[in-house]
């Protein structure tokens, strides 16, 4: 019984921190920045789950709930570039290129949250991801110092959705350790002005 309690504690923490901060596109509070987390590529294009995240981000931009979109994902090797694929997808759907900022070292959720704060200077944001992941994203970004609301992307309950839900039970343990230990991202680097410059373009 004690093992079950300890095993579920991280997931309980995530729900306690994030449940009240999960919204839809219709009731999300307006913020300067929307953050979209990578979710894989298929033949160089966003996977269906990633495409749905990007569709939601484009809607947040069109409705004025976000002025800038920060796309964060994996570009650890030359032939795999999530942020550029995400940027292309968004521009094809009407988001101006100068309102999109790319984080090429968002290797996991914690890294993306820390880099949003420390590298790109994001203080507040709307986070965009599927329902099974969005609470972890909100909890981690808040732990990293980003005041966050999550916009959950609805998906049919297919095999991928159930796999994601099960995976989150295990990912919650790592998330709780990240929140407590606050490790540096795999790659930190110098501060980048991309978000600030994009916001300056937005007010012109």
């Amino acid at each position: 019984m004690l093992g079950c309690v300890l095993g579920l504690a991280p997931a309980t923490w995530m729900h306690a921190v994030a449940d009240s901060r999960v919204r839809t596109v219709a009731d999300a509070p307006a913020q300067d920045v929307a953050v979209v987390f990578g979710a894989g590529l298929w033949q160089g294009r966003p996977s269906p789950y990633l495409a749905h995240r990007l569709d939601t981000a484009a809607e947040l931009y069109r409705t004025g709930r976000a002025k800038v979109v920060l796309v964060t994902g994996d570009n650890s090797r030359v032939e795999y570039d999530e942020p550029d694929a995400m940027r292309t997808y968004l521009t094809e759907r009407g988001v101006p290129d100068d309102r999109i900022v790319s984080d090429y070292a968002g290797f996991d959720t914690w890294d993306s949250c820390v880099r949003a704060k420390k590298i790109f200077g994001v203080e507040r944001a709307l986070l965009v991801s599927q329902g099974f992941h969005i609470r972890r994203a909100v909890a981690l970004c808040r732990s990293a110092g980003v005041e966050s609301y999550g916009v959950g992307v609805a998906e049919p309950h297919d095999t991928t959705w159930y796999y994601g839900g099960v995976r989150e039970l295990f990912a919650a343990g790592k998330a709780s350790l990240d929140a407590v230990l606050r490790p540096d991202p795999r790659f930190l680097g110098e501060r980048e002005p991309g978000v600030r410059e994009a916001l300056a373009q937005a007010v012109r």
Side-chain angles (χ1 to χ4, degrees), residues 20-34 60 64-66 124-127 147-151:
S20 66
R21 290 179 167 264
V22 176
R23 299 286 199 271
T24 65
V25 171
D27 65 3
Q31 302 286 354
D32 284 344
V33 181
L60 289 170
R65 297 184 185 275
R124 297 176 179 81
L126 296 175
L127 313 180
E147 187 67 15
S148 304
Y149 283 88
V151 179

Side-chain angles (χ1 to χ4, degrees), residues 164-183:
V166 172
R167 181 177 177 273
E168 283 302 306
L169 293 176
F170 297 95
K174 178 183 181 300
S176 62
L177 288 176
D178 286 338
V180 171
L181 300 177
R182 300 177 182 273

Side-chain angles (χ1 to χ4, degrees), residues 37 109 112-113 127 136-148:
F37 300 88
T109 305
S112 294
C113 290
L127 313 180
R136 177 159 62 94
V138 170
L140 285 175
C141 278
R142 293 192 72 198
S143 294
V146 180
E147 187 67 15
S148 304

